[in-house]
Amino acid sequence: MYKANRNFSDVSESYLFSTIARRVDAYKAAHPGADIIRLGIGDVTRPVCQAAVDALKAAADAQASADTFTGYGPEQGHRFLIDAIIAGDYTPRGIDVDPAEVFVSDGAKSDIGNIGDILSTDNVVAITDPVYPVYLDTNIMAGRRVVMLDCLEANDFKPSLPAGQTPDVIYLCYPNNPTGTSLTHGELKVWVDYALANGCLILFDSAYEAYITRDDVPHSIYEIEGARRCAIEFRSFSKTAGFTGLRCGYTVVPRDLVDAGGMRLNDMWRRRQCTKFNGASVVVQRAAAALYTSEGRRQVRADIEYYMTNARLMRQGLGEAGFKVYGGVDSPYVWAKAPVDIDSWQLFDMLLEVCNVVVTPGVGFGRCGEGYIRLTAFNTREKTIEAINRIKSLQFNNITI
C-alpha cells in the first residue's frame, strides 16, 4: 500500500489566507448586507498598467499568425525579458548579473516553495518569526529541522544572528512581510558576512523592493559585497505591477553559489526547472518586459505611490486610534498592535463584526505575531480611508475582553 508524506500532518490543515477566507465567507452568509472592506490579503486593486496591457494584447495577437506564433519557450525565460530585468533592476545599481543567472517563473511564491528541491532535507533552516507562511510550511513538508528567529517589538522586529547551532539555510524577507520593517545596508551586511563565515545559504525575498523609500535600504542583497557567494534572490511582479493574476516573477541564482560538495546551485536549479517547469507564458513575459519601458516605469511608479499614500494614511489613522504602528514606510504592509490586551484572532473577529473590516491576525504568521494584525495598503483610497475611520470609531477603553 502506498504511503503519503507524513510531514504534511505537521502543518496546519489549511493555508492562513484560506482560513481567513472561510471565516469571512461565513460572516457574509450570516450578514448578507454587510459592507466588508478587505485590508487582509495582499491583493492589489488597481488595474494592470496600460503599457503591460498593450504588450499583452500585441503578444496575444501574434499567436494568431503562423509567422509570429510561439510554441514552447525556454524554461528559464525568454531572453527579451531577462535582458530587460538585468538592465532595469541590476545594472543601474552597479550589480553584475549574467543572463544565465536569471530564471523567469510564474511568481515568487512557487520559486520560494520549490527551491527546496535542490537542497538536502538534512539542512537546518533558520526562519524569522513572524514570517510569510510559505517559508515555514514548505520546509516542514520537506521534513527539515527549522529554527525560529524571534522578531519582537524590543528588537524593532529585526532578527538577531542565530545563537547556538549554525543553520545551513537562512530565509530573509526585506522589506518584510508581514511586519513591513526593512534592513539598512549595514544591517544586511551583518547577515551576508555571517553567511560567508559559516557557509550558510541566504534565501532572500525582495518582492517588495519597489516600495522602498529610504536611501540606506538596499533593493537587492547583491548590493552587499560577497552576497553572490551566499545568496539566492527572489523577485515578483505581483505587488510591483499588479500581476497577482497574470503571474510572473524571477529568481537570481548566481553561478558563484557552490555547496559543500562542490555542486553548483545554478546548474541544479536549471536542471530542476527544465524537468518540472515549462516556463511562464510568452504573452505574460511580453507584458512584464513592457514594465521596463519608460512609460511602463512611469505607470508602475504611479501605482506604487498610490499604495504608499494608503500606507501613510493607515499609519496615521491607526496611530490616532491608539495602535502601536510599524512598517508602512518601505513597505505596503502596516503592522499594528491594539491599545488593549487582546489576541490576534479576537481582534480579527472584532474588526470584522464591529467594523466590517478584514485584516490578517498576526499570530497566523507565527507565535511572535500574537497580539498584532497586518493591514495592506492595496485597497482603493476611498475604502482605505473608510476602513480606518471605522477602526478609529472603536472605543477600546469601553471594550471588555
Side-chain angles (χ1 to χ4, degrees), residues 315-323 338-339 388 391-394 396:
R315 282 179 55 87
Q316 178 181 337
L318 290 169
E320 292 171 353
F323 284 75
I388 297 304
I391 294 173
K392 288 170 65 176
S393 69
L394 280 174
F396 282 102

Side-chain angles (χ1 to χ4, degrees), residues 86-289:
I86 294 172
D89 292 340
Y90 293 101
T91 302
R93 300 189 183 283
I95 302 170
D96 291 327
V97 174
D98 187 273
E101 297 174 326
V102 179
F103 295 81
V104 176
S105 70
D106 59 355
K109 179 180 179 180
S110 59
D111 280 3
I112 289 169
N114 292 329
I115 198 70
D117 281 5
I118 66 171
L119 300 174
S120 170
T121 56
D122 294 333
N123 286 317
V124 175
V125 179
I127 300 176
T128 57
D129 180 357
V131 70
Y132 178 47
V134 173
Y135 309 155
L136 178 61
D137 290 358
T138 54
N139 279 285
I140 292 175
M141 290 172 180
R144 294 187 185 89
R145 188 163 77 83
V146 176
V147 176
M148 304 306 295
L149 306 175
D150 291 353
C151 298
L152 306 168
E153 183 179 2
N155 60 10
D156 293 326
F157 298 101
K158 298 176 182 180
S160 299
L161 293 175
Q165 181 178 2
T166 301
D168 303 294
V169 180
I170 302 169
Y171 283 76
L172 295 177
C173 173
Y174 290 98
N176 185 258
N177 177 16
T179 65
T181 55
S182 55
L183 297 183
T184 65
H185 280 80
E187 289 169 333
L188 186 54
K189 184 179 185 301
V190 169
W191 285 93
V192 171
D193 290 346
Y194 175 87
L196 291 171
N198 292 279
C200 308
L201 174 67
I202 296 176
L203 300 179
F204 191 76
D205 183 352
S206 59
Y208 304 98
E209 62 81 26
Y211 290 86
I212 292 171
T213 62
R214 293 182 294 175
D215 292 338
D216 196 29
V217 174
H219 290 253
S220 167
I221 195 170
Y222 302 125
E223 293 180 44
I224 310 301
E225 184 178 358
R228 285 182 53 87
R229 293 183 282 117
C230 67
I232 292 174
E233 182 163 279
F234 305 92
R235 291 281 187 102
S236 170
F237 297 113
S238 289
K239 308 309 191 322
T240 300
F243 273 42
T244 50
L246 292 180
R247 306 306 308 148
C248 195
Y250 66 89
T251 296
V252 178
V253 185
R255 286 176 165 174
D256 299 356
L257 291 173
V258 180
D259 85 334
M263 297 188 70
R264 182 179 286 176
L265 298 192
N266 182 281
D267 295 339
M268 296 176 69
W269 185 243
R270 178 176 290 101
R271 185 68 176 87
R272 188 269 176 204
Q273 292 297 79
C274 289
T275 302
K276 295 188 176 184
F277 184 57
N278 268 340
S281 75
V282 64
V283 294
V284 170
Q285 290 190 59
R286 286 290 182 188

Side-chain angles (χ1 to χ4, degrees), residues 314-331:
M314 288 194 301
R315 282 179 55 87
Q316 178 181 337
L318 290 169
E320 292 171 353
F323 284 75
K324 288 185 176 180
V325 183
Y326 305 87
V329 175
D330 295 312
S331 164

Side-chain angles (χ1 to χ4, degrees), residues 13 23 34 60 82 105 111 125 152 177 245 293 334 361 368-369 375 392:
E13 290 187 10
R23 293 175 76 138
I82 291 174
S105 70
D111 280 3
V125 179
L152 306 168
N177 177 16
T293 64
V334 172
C368 291
L375 302 91
K392 288 170 65 176

